[in-house]
Amino acid sequence: MSKIKIAIQRAYDAPAEEEESFRVLVDRLWPRGLKKENLELDFWAKDISPSAEVRKKYHSHPDDFAAFKKSYLKELESNPNLDFLTKELGKHKRIILLYASKDKEHNNAVVLKEFLEKKMG
């Protein structure tokens, strides 16, 4: 079995002309100002995104990414929807996790990518 490639991309950015990818939105809320028909999307994994509590706490303290990451990872470890998501993602060779945040280095997709790469090998 070949290794799954996981990439992240901002939902507002145009899809790259690359090999076929399974595109997953990993935000709980739909990206503001983006029409559903304008987003190339295969799956919306809102149940795997950070809880409203964790998300709001991070938005009020954006300088504390480490605390956000720790809280989100704790949620992921006990998320009952994770098994379904990993089984679905396992059917694809290339996955793109889509997110809406303006910060490309400190967001939930970065944390989820790292988590999935460890979990899925």
Side-chain angles (χ1 to χ4, degrees), residues 21-24 40-44:
S21 300
F22 188 70
R23 297 171 55 84
V24 182
E40 282 188 39
L41 182 66
D42 296 301
F43 187 71
W44 184 6

Side-chain angles (χ1 to χ4, degrees), residues 28 50-60 68 71 75:
R28 187 167 300 273
S51 66
E53 178 185 340
V54 169
R55 184 178 46 81
K56 288 176 182 177
K57 187 174 182 181
Y58 179 52
H59 284 288
S60 64
F68 166 77
S71 296
E75 286 185 344

Side-chain angles (χ1 to χ4, degrees), residues 6 18 21 24 28 43 46 49 54 56 60-61 64 78 81 87 90-91 96 109-112 114-115 120-121:
I6 302 174
E18 297 180 15
S21 300
V24 182
R28 187 167 300 273
F43 187 71
K46 59 184 163 187
S49 65
V54 169
K56 288 176 182 177
S60 64
H61 301 285
D64 198 356
S78 61
N81 299 298
K87 284 178 188 172
K91 298 175 187 176
I96 298 178
V110 171
V111 177
L112 182 58
E114 182 182 310
F115 179 84
M120 298 176 75

